[in-house]
Amino acid sequence: MFSLISVIWFLKIKLIFCHLSDPKCFWRIKETENDLGDKETYCLFSISTKQGYVKNDYFSWNIDKKVTPKTNHLIFSVYLALEEVNKNCHILPNISLLVNTECNRRKYDEKTGLALKIENIIPNYSCTNERTYLIVLTAPIWAVSTKLGPFLFMSRIPELYCGHFHPLLSDNEEFPHLYQISPKDTSLPLAMVSLVVHFRWNWIGVIVTSDDQGIQFLSELKGEMQKNIVCLSVAIIIQTEMSMALKELRMNYKHISMSSAKVVIVYGDKFSPIMYALTVWISQGILRIWVSVSQFDMITILGDFLLYSSTGTFIFSHQQPEIPGFEKFIQSVHPSNYSSEFSFGKLWWTYFRCSLPPSNCKKLKNCPTKTIFTWLFRTSLGMAMSDTCYNSYNAIYAVAHSLHEMLMQEVDTWSNNAGKELEFDSWKMFSILKTLKFVNPAGDLVNMNQNLKQDTEYNIFYIMDFQKDYGLKMKIGRFSEHLPSGQQLYMSKEMMEWATDIDQILPSICSMPCTPGLRKSLQEGKDICCFVCIPCPENEISNMTNMDQCVKCLEDQYANEDHTLCLQKVVAILDYRDPLGKALAGFALSFSLLTSVVLFVFLKHRDTPIVKANNQTLSIVLLISLIFCFICSLLYIGHPTMVICILQQTTFAVAFTVATSTILAKTIIVVLAFKITVPGRRMRWLLVSGAPKYIILICTMIQLILCGIWLGTSPPFVDADVQMVHGHIIIVCNKGSVIAFYCVLGYMGSVALASFTVAFLARNLPDTFNEAKLLTFSMLVFCSVWITFIPVYHSTKGKTMVAVEVFCILTSSAGLLLCIFAPKCYFILRPQTNSFHKFRKPHAKAENKS
């Protein structure tokens, strides 16, 4: 037996998702003529045994004159189980179970809210012709069982409660005679939160009853919500006493109507005033997406669903298989009342397979009425059972299997008493029943042991109105607690898209989602679900919705304008392939060539007066240094290396120091040349000895010492600057020591300033070949360029900064070349002006006049 149960349970787990590939749907008629709706009546089924087979018409059925259709549904499920057990010779051979049914209309009392006809209950005493009952099945109102309990306990009758599980009835000290067959809702809060998370809702309301069951559910629900970042917009606790509930009715209505949550979870004891409150609120226009359990799947006395919603209602129900033959059995009991599918539709949900919806309907709401009715009645299979009916059905089988175990344990005793009326020990049977496991005719494993942790499974149904008088209920998903986290909830995407409009309504959220490129910023004093969206900071992105923090891009990446992607930065250098690089390189080479031509001209005409008069040696040294100045600018173009970075700064510093110190030497020579012509001066030896030329060597040596200190302490190196220009990696030569760089630059500037000062003072000295004015103007250009360079250099970035440095090198060098040597070349290349005779003639005239 155990091996058979294990195989069936294993196959059931394997076929979990196969069931959803062929989902079931249900339809029901809202009977407007029935003013009771799905109002339930408390029923007590007293079970006894009788030897032999007993037909169905032998059952005792004592009920009120007017019993609700829902009560008939419950009675039918018990009678079906009895009929199947009595016909099954393998469970109780030659023994039949009998039932005495007592159903009383439920009434409210001012204190307890309930009224019970105790006088109709038959206690378990033995008189002549009185039958001893083994056990009593009660359903569906738990509060009545609490009042009935003391009478049953005194009568020594165990009770099996078949209604929805209630924690109060699990108190063994207060109710030692009572046991509940319905499973605990251990994973219901997790299941409901999983559904909320699936639809990306994070702002919901909750309505529960004020009893222990409702408060415990609310506490567990809050815990699951906190884990999944779902926030509670409003929590309404309905008092269990009608007077208190009526006082708070208007206040609670105000709370729920003002709540912005579009989804509301409902849980609690439906026999409390919560059902009345929901009926009143919905009739006053409170429309939400309701999420609840199967006990709230009912039609009210107004002829509509208790949880009516234009957008549909989600119902969680314990998994129930189909009970074959239920519809035929009802027809056999009351053939006149239940002769058609419409009569069954008025009683309860009628199920049909809906794996293949009408081919011409992409959306259920767009299907023609005729097509829908053809679809409904073509594949009708039978009437389903409610949770209470299914529990009652299993309860009968639990009693039968318990008696079967007793028979197997005491087979010798029963064989010796053959032919006599059997008497079973109710409490021994009750003890066996509480630890029993069996497989019912539908193939479902029933575990009666509530102390063992059972993995709960829920079917998820979607209920909607069809036309005015019809309702549709479709199984759209399943929650299985035993599956790994993240796979516990399965929703049929095809059924959701076809049957619902969930994707078209606004989500139940406190704040609109933060799109990629934005991040959430929590508001002080508000829930975590209520936030504002702010843009990501510079170089940070968010590539998903509702990110708490932006992600910083890597150093070699940058954020796009929308802050949704990290893009690879472009390596930027002043390259020869760039137009700017080509232009600067072209200018450098052109001026180098031009300087070489000027040098060639000076060397060719070195014997002419103008060349000799302007100190031929210093002019050649200046031209050569200018050539190096132009050429050193090429070191700044192209991909730098460590050697190139060192050569950039040292070549630039030394070449320009030689050039400026040469100009200083030339200027001093001009001044000395005029000073020694004055009578009484004894400075001729300075000029004859060539002492001014040592200025070049001294100035250059000082610059070389400064460069050596620079290279020895913190030399230039190749650096990749990822922060300088957005979206680019700038490959530049880092100066190393900024102080050393500005010392070298400052020293070069001081030499240039000295040259300019001396040349400026000597600008008015007479002589045709006096170049003091040319030197003054050239140094003015030189100093102006480099004074302008400093602010411009620091205001630019990237390769533009390098281009500015190259441009300054070229313009300052070109300024020296053109201002000093352009006039000289003009005179050199004109023979009529480049002769001693032409030079002396104007001066002789000037002397004669004087």
Side-chain angles (χ1 to χ4, degrees):
M1 183 68 179
F2 178 76
S3 60
L4 178 61
I5 291 174
S6 301
V7 171
I8 293 175
W9 183 246
F10 176 76
L11 293 175
K12 183 179 178 182
I13 294 175
K14 287 291 186 181
L15 294 176
I16 281 178
F17 296 108
C18 295
H19 288 307
L20 278 178
S21 64
D22 187 23
K24 296 182 181 64
C25 297
F26 305 80
W27 65 273
R28 189 179 180 188
I29 300 174
K30 302 177 186 177
E31 188 181 7
T32 55
E33 297 178 357
N34 177 21
D35 58 351
L36 296 176
D38 282 338
K39 191 173 183 179
E40 293 181 285
T41 303
Y42 181 82
C43 288
L44 184 144
F45 302 93
S46 302
I47 307 298
S48 60
T49 60
K50 183 177 178 61
Q51 202 161 3
Y53 173 70
V54 179
K55 292 184 179 180
N56 186 46
D57 55 6
Y58 188 82
F59 300 155
S60 174
W61 189 349
N62 300 321
I63 59 175
D64 285 348
K65 295 181 179 180
K66 193 172 185 181
V67 176
T68 65
K70 192 72 172 289
T71 304
N72 283 333
H73 190 215
L74 173 62
I75 296 172
F76 289 147
S77 63
V78 173
Y79 276 36
L80 172 63
L82 286 170
E83 184 77 6
E84 292 175 348
V85 167
N86 292 342
K87 287 183 178 180
N88 191 337
C89 60
H90 299 289
I91 301 178
L92 293 176
N94 201 31
I95 298 176
S96 295
L97 295 180
L98 304 182
V99 61
N100 180 49
T101 304
E102 298 181 20
C103 297
N104 296 299
R105 287 285 301 277
R106 179 173 181 267
K107 300 177 182 178
Y108 281 104
D109 183 77
E110 291 183 0
K111 294 183 179 180
T112 64
L114 296 165
L116 182 65
K117 296 182 179 180
I118 303 297
E119 66 273 10
N120 292 336
I121 298 174
I122 303 176
N124 201 18
Y125 55 82
S126 297
C127 293
T128 306
N129 298 326
E130 286 290 347
R131 185 173 303 281
T132 303
Y133 294 118
L134 284 172
I135 194 170
V136 171
L137 275 58
T138 57
I141 306 172
W142 69 271
V144 179
S145 292
T146 62
K147 302 299 179 182
L148 181 64
F151 296 96
L152 291 175
F153 183 70
M154 287 187 295
S155 302
R156 305 296 295 169
I157 305 177
E159 177 184 357
L160 191 58
Y161 178 70
C162 301
H164 292 276
F165 184 87
H166 198 284
L168 183 63
L169 299 181
S170 297
D171 189 348
N172 291 327
E173 293 183 1
E174 187 175 357
F175 304 104
H177 69 289
L178 187 146
Y179 197 71
Q180 300 186 79
I181 188 174
S182 58
K184 298 178 182 179
D185 289 326
T186 54
S187 60
L188 183 61
L190 174 60
M192 288 185 170
V193 172
S194 299
L195 179 72
V196 170
V197 173
H198 174 79
F199 289 113
R200 298 179 182 178
W201 300 328
N202 64 9
W203 190 241
I204 64 174
V206 177
I207 301 176
V208 296
T209 50
S210 62
D211 55 3
D212 294 340
Q213 185 181 19
I215 298 302
Q216 181 181 356
F217 172 80
L218 180 60
S219 176
E220 294 176 358
L221 184 70
K222 286 181 177 179
E224 295 296 337
M225 290 169 60
Q226 188 174 7
K227 294 178 185 177
N228 293 274
I229 315 180
V230 178
C231 300
L232 191 60
S233 170
V234 60
I236 296 177
I237 300 177
I238 305 295
Q239 298 296 326
T240 53
E241 294 185 8
M242 179 58 76
S243 58
M244 294 294 295
L246 291 176
K247 290 180 181 179
E248 298 177 355
L249 187 65
R250 183 173 296 276
M251 178 187 67
N252 290 332
Y253 171 79
K254 183 178 180 181
H255 288 165
I256 192 172
S257 61
M258 293 181 63
S259 171
S260 59
K262 297 179 177 62
V263 176
V264 177
I265 293 176
V266 178
Y267 185 81
D269 178 19
K270 79 169 183 178
F271 298 107
S272 69
I274 189 174
M275 187 168 64
Y276 175 76
L278 290 169
T279 304
V280 172
W281 293 342
I282 293 175
S283 65
Q284 292 179 352
I286 296 294
L287 299 179
R288 298 290 188 270
I289 299 175
W290 305 103
V291 179
S292 190
V293 289
S294 58
Q295 59 179 313
F296 289 93
D297 172 17
M298 60 178 295
I299 292 177
T300 65
I301 59 177
L302 301 178
D304 211 335
F305 291 118
L306 172 63
L307 299 177
Y308 168 77
S309 174
S310 58
T311 51
T313 301
F314 292 92
I315 294 294
F316 283 77
S317 175
H318 289 289
Q319 183 170 336
Q320 299 172 3
E322 302 171 12
I323 304 298
F326 188 35
E327 184 178 8
K328 291 182 180 180
F329 174 78
I330 296 175
Q331 287 178 330
S332 67
V333 176
H334 286 284
S336 58
N337 294 340
Y338 303 101
S339 58
S340 66
E341 292 176 342
F342 283 96
S343 60
F344 284 106
K346 294 177 181 179
L347 177 62
W348 192 240
W349 293 101
T350 300
Y351 63 82
F352 62 97
R353 299 190 185 278
C354 52
S355 57
L356 296 175
S359 57
N360 60 336
C361 298
K362 294 183 178 180
K363 276 283 188 180
L364 177 60
K365 67 176 184 178
N366 298 328
C367 288
T369 304
K370 183 178 180 180
T371 303
I372 290 294
F373 277 112
T374 304
W375 178 58
L376 293 179
F377 300 124
R378 182 181 58 187
T379 57
S380 294
L381 298 175
M383 191 173 64
M385 281 188 178
S386 66
D387 285 353
T388 302
C389 292
Y390 186 66
N391 290 336
S392 302
Y393 178 84
N394 284 331
I396 296 295
Y397 271 94
V399 172
H401 282 285
S402 300
L403 294 175
H404 177 82
E405 289 293 326
M406 292 180 65
L407 287 173
M408 296 300 294
Q409 293 175 8
E410 302 180 14
V411 62
D412 295 335
T413 303
W414 302 123
S415 60
N416 294 333
N417 296 329
K420 297 181 180 180
E421 189 73 24
L422 300 179
E423 292 185 5
F424 293 95
D425 186 346
S426 298
W427 291 99
K428 184 177 181 180
M429 180 208 67
F430 191 53
S431 177
I432 295 174
L433 182 144
K434 290 191 288 186
T435 59
L436 193 66
K437 286 184 180 180
F438 64 92
V439 178
N440 65 13
D444 190 21
L445 176 63
V446 181
N447 186 358
M448 298 293 293
N449 194 341
Q450 290 281 14
N451 295 324
L452 297 178
K453 171 73 174 177
Q454 300 184 34
D455 293 329
T456 310
E457 292 185 358
Y458 293 97
N459 285 330
I460 303 174
F461 293 98
Y462 179 78
I463 300 178
M464 61 176 293
D465 279 350
F466 168 65
Q467 297 293 317
K468 181 182 178 181
D469 300 325
Y470 294 88
L472 285 177
K473 181 167 74 170
M474 290 151 282
K475 186 170 70 173
I476 59 172
R478 173 175 295 171
F479 179 85
S480 301
E481 188 184 14
H482 65 271
L483 293 178
S485 178
Q487 303 176 14
Q488 295 171 323
L489 180 71
Y490 175 81
M491 301 294 289
S492 175
K493 184 178 179 181
E494 293 77 11
M495 287 297 296
M496 287 295 301
E497 292 179 350
W498 181 73
T500 71
D501 291 325
I502 295 297
D503 55 339
Q504 297 181 8
I505 64 175
L506 292 176
S508 184
I509 55 179
C510 180
S511 301
M512 293 303 294
C514 294
T515 58
L518 305 174
R519 73 171 181 88
K520 296 193 295 185
S521 178
L522 301 181
Q523 296 177 290
E524 187 176 355
K526 292 190 177 182
D527 287 308
I528 192 174
C529 303
C530 302
F531 50 82
V532 294
C533 300
I534 61 175
C536 287
E538 184 71 21
N539 211 39
E540 293 186 12
I541 66 163
S542 63
N543 54 4
M544 292 187 295
T545 304
N546 282 342
M547 288 189 65
D548 295 320
Q549 296 293 334
C550 297
V551 180
K552 192 174 183 64
C553 294
L554 299 176
E555 286 193 351
D556 60 344
Q557 296 178 335
Y558 71 99
N560 61 350
E561 292 184 1
D562 296 331
H563 290 271
T564 56
L565 289 174
C566 284
L567 305 177
Q568 195 68 31
K569 288 184 177 181
V570 179
V571 177
I573 58 174
L574 186 61
D575 195 71
Y576 289 106
R577 290 171 293 185
D578 294 340
L580 183 59
K582 289 179 181 179
L584 293 175
F587 280 119
L589 293 174
S590 299
F591 278 106
S592 299
L593 181 60
L594 179 60
T595 308
S596 300
V597 171
V598 173
L599 178 60
F600 175 75
V601 170
F602 265 66
L603 290 175
K604 184 179 180 181
H605 298 88
R606 59 182 176 276
D607 296 327
T608 58
I610 193 169
V611 175
K612 290 181 178 181
N614 288 280
N615 201 317
Q616 174 185 349
T617 304
L618 295 179
S619 296
I620 292 173
V621 171
L622 180 58
L623 287 170
I624 293 173
S625 65
L626 287 177
I627 291 173
F628 278 100
C629 289
F630 286 121
I631 292 176
C632 79
S633 65
L634 297 177
L635 296 173
Y636 292 83
I637 304 174
H639 199 289
T641 61
M642 185 68 177
V643 176
I644 290 177
C645 288
I646 293 175
L647 288 176
Q648 275 184 7
Q649 308 305 328
T650 54
T651 305
F652 159 73
V654 173
F656 271 87
T657 301
V658 172
T660 53
S661 60
T662 301
I663 293 174
L664 178 60
K666 288 172 70 69
T667 308
I668 291 175
I669 290 175
V670 171
V671 173
L672 289 177
F674 280 96
K675 292 293 183 181
I676 63 174
T677 58
V678 179
R681 297 284 182 173
R682 298 182 179 181
M683 301 177 64
R684 183 179 179 83
W685 65 272
L686 291 174
L687 187 61
V688 174
S689 62
K693 297 179 182 179
Y694 289 102
I695 294 175
I696 302 174
L697 182 60
I698 295 171
C699 292
T700 304
M701 288 300 297
I702 294 174
Q703 187 68 285
L704 287 174
I705 292 172
L706 292 175
C707 290
I709 296 173
W710 183 6
L711 298 180
T713 54
S714 181
F717 58 90
V718 181
D719 188 20
D721 195 331
V722 296
Q723 304 294 338
M724 184 180 294
V725 180
H726 180 71
H728 292 78
I729 300 176
I730 307 300
I731 307 297
V732 293
C733 286
N734 193 299
K735 301 298 188 293
S737 175
V738 178
I739 296 175
F741 169 71
Y742 281 106
C743 286
V744 169
L745 194 65
Y747 174 74
M748 185 186 71
S750 63
V751 175
L753 184 60
S755 300
F756 172 72
T757 304
V758 176
F760 181 77
L761 296 175
R763 71 188 184 281
N764 293 325
L765 294 176
D767 197 358
T768 301
F769 295 131
N770 180 14
E771 59 179 351
K773 291 183 179 180
L774 301 179
L775 296 176
T776 303
F777 187 68
S778 65
M779 292 312 300
L780 179 62
V781 173
F782 183 88
C783 293
S784 300
V785 169
W786 286 105
I787 290 173
T788 308
F789 161 77
I790 295 176
V792 175
Y793 180 79
H794 286 285
S795 63
T796 54
K797 295 180 180 180
K799 61 182 182 181
T800 307
M801 184 173 64
V802 180
V804 167
E805 193 170 359
V806 174
F807 180 77
C808 288
I809 293 173
L810 293 177
T811 52
S812 59
S813 301
L816 295 178
L817 175 66
L818 296 177
C819 292
I820 297 175
F821 293 99
K824 294 180 180 180
C825 290
Y826 174 78
F827 287 109
I828 292 172
L829 296 177
R830 293 185 63 187
Q832 63 274 21
T833 59
N834 190 15
S835 65
F836 185 75
H837 176 72
K838 294 292 182 180
F839 166 71
R840 291 295 299 169
K841 192 172 183 179
H843 282 271
K845 293 180 180 179
E847 291 174 0
N848 294 331
K849 290 181 181 180
S850 60

